[in-house]
Amino acid sequence: MKSHGICPASCGEFVQGMIKDKEYLSSYAIDKYSTVTLEEKLENINRGPLKARRALEEIFKYFDLPRKDLKNISIDIRSDIPIGKGMASSTADIGATIKATLNLIGKDLDEYEISKIATKIEPTDSIYIKENTIFNPLDANVIRKLGVIDRGKVIILEPNETLSTRHIRKKENYHKLKRQNKYIIEYAFKLLGEGISKKDLMLIGQACNISSVANENIHKKRYLNEIMDISKEYGACGVNIAHSGTVIGILLEPDMDEEKIKTKLLDKKIDKKYKKIYTANIMAGGLRSE
């Protein structure tokens, strides 16, 4: 018997930072995916990556199913999400595995409960949830639902450099630096909420710009100022980053010509750092079976 689960990637976050004394983020989904296939076998078991195997185990534990049955379940992951760039590659693997496991055992959980289970494995983000939310990556607490933004596209600037979420969180003074940005980040979340409720990508982009610049004291993004200048020059909506990753996104309305912006990025030699420059579509979050 086989079952499947699919989870989209993100291109970093619209906004991330402190509200009161806790860290929150609002990520968004794009049309790149991790697809997980589980299969019950008698031999030649593919155990799969450790985090995916733990996701399988957590669902069996949640429903109090016999642990001995896990040894016959093979995990196969097919993903086009870059690893270690802040695009939720491992989060997507975990979510797709959870969805495939639920399909395998004939059970269901809502997107909020799935998010809580995922945080037992590692800090996660809000892409399991269809709506854009203000979301705590450590405990999956949602303090505000913002609505669904499922239009627009993003030019993704991807460097060869990788960065792990755990590494950035261990940085000296990480929480102190986050607290220094607290009030401006609260304003960015406010703007983001307005932008999503109105489906206004320009307002969303303003919120992203604020959060991107504020995060420079934690992890600098090379050429960020130049990229923001190009974004503004060509009428793009704004620039967002992976706050604990390495990618940068330029947000665009669906009908904007990304080729002119890509050409300008190349003219400015920004591809020396960001070796891959490509476009993805913004979409609603949520786990899928097909």
Side-chain angles (χ1 to χ4, degrees):
M1 180 179 174
K2 290 185 178 181
S3 66
H4 307 281
I6 302 168
C7 183
S10 71
C11 178
E13 301 81 29
F14 286 141
V15 177
Q16 182 171 335
M18 303 292 281
I19 297 178
K20 296 184 178 178
D21 294 322
K22 293 187 177 181
E23 187 172 351
Y24 289 89
L25 57 80
S26 185
S27 53
Y28 66 100
I30 59 171
D31 58 348
K32 297 181 81 67
Y33 304 93
S34 174
T35 300
V36 170
T37 300
L38 302 183
E39 185 174 6
E40 292 181 295
K41 294 184 176 182
L42 297 177
E43 56 186 12
N44 298 325
I45 299 303
N46 171 15
R47 292 188 59 82
L50 177 61
K51 291 176 183 178
R53 177 57 56 173
R54 280 199 60 197
L56 177 63
E57 292 170 354
E58 287 292 342
I59 294 300
F60 267 62
K61 181 180 177 182
Y62 185 95
F63 288 103
D64 198 26
L65 297 174
R67 188 177 178 84
K68 63 181 179 61
D69 293 346
L70 289 166
K71 64 183 176 63
N72 292 329
I73 300 175
S74 172
I75 302 175
D76 180 62
I77 299 178
R78 305 293 170 91
S79 177
D80 62 353
I81 306 172
I83 296 171
K85 306 293 178 71
M87 297 179 70
S89 59
S90 61
T91 296
D93 289 349
I94 290 166
T97 303
I98 289 173
K99 186 65 174 177
T101 307
L102 291 170
N103 290 335
L104 183 72
I105 64 177
K107 301 288 187 181
D108 197 16
L109 290 171
D110 69 35
E111 54 200 353
Y112 303 101
E113 192 63 30
I114 290 171
S115 298
K116 289 177 183 176
I117 291 169
T119 62
K120 295 180 180 181
I121 302 167
E122 67 173 13
T124 189
D125 65 26
S126 55
I127 56 172
Y128 302 157
I129 301 170
K130 180 179 179 179
E131 277 192 85
N132 298 95
T133 63
I134 299 177
F135 179 94
N136 185 317
L138 301 180
D139 63 13
N141 180 46
V142 173
I143 60 170
R144 188 178 169 196
K145 300 176 186 178
L146 303 176
V148 178
I149 188 73
D150 55 2
R151 56 181 293 272
K153 55 191 176 182
V154 57
I155 299 173
I156 299 170
L157 292 87
E158 179 193 331
N160 290 337
E161 174 192 8
T162 62
L163 181 67
S164 76
T165 301
R166 290 187 184 277
H167 175 79
I168 198 97
R169 288 179 181 278
K170 288 179 180 178
K171 183 175 179 176
E172 186 179 359
N173 295 329
Y174 174 80
H175 292 289
K176 180 181 178 181
L177 294 170
K178 284 283 186 183
R179 282 193 291 271
Q180 287 176 2
N181 296 335
K182 177 180 174 180
Y183 295 108
I184 195 165
I185 290 298
E186 288 180 355
Y187 176 64
F189 274 124
K190 180 177 181 292
L191 268 184
L192 180 67
E194 291 176 11
I196 292 176
S197 67
K198 296 175 181 176
K199 292 193 179 292
D200 184 336
L201 283 169
M202 295 303 291
L203 266 180
I204 292 169
Q206 288 179 39
C208 293
N209 288 341
I210 291 168
S211 192
S212 297
V213 172
N215 200 67
E216 286 286 270
N217 68 342
I218 297 164
H219 183 258
K220 286 188 178 295
K221 300 288 191 289
R222 193 172 177 191
Y223 297 128
L224 178 62
N225 288 336
E226 291 88 342
I227 293 165
M228 294 182 84
D229 287 343
I230 292 168
S231 168
K232 185 176 180 181
E233 179 183 352
Y234 285 88
C237 302
V239 175
N240 85 290
I241 62 168
H243 291 72
S244 54
T246 60
V247 295
I248 294 178
I250 302 175
L251 303 176
L252 306 174
E253 293 281 1
D255 59 351
M256 284 181 175
D257 183 1
E258 69 263 30
E259 295 307 321
K260 290 181 179 179
I261 298 176
K262 289 178 182 177
T263 299
K264 186 71 171 183
L265 292 168
L266 297 179
D267 288 346
K268 291 289 187 179
K269 312 294 186 190
I270 288 172
D271 59 319
K272 286 185 176 180
K273 172 68 177 178
Y274 299 93
K275 302 294 186 182
K276 296 179 182 178
I277 299 175
Y278 53 94
T279 305
N281 293 308
I282 298 171
M283 56 184 289
L287 301 173
R288 287 104 164 131
S289 298
E290 299 292 342

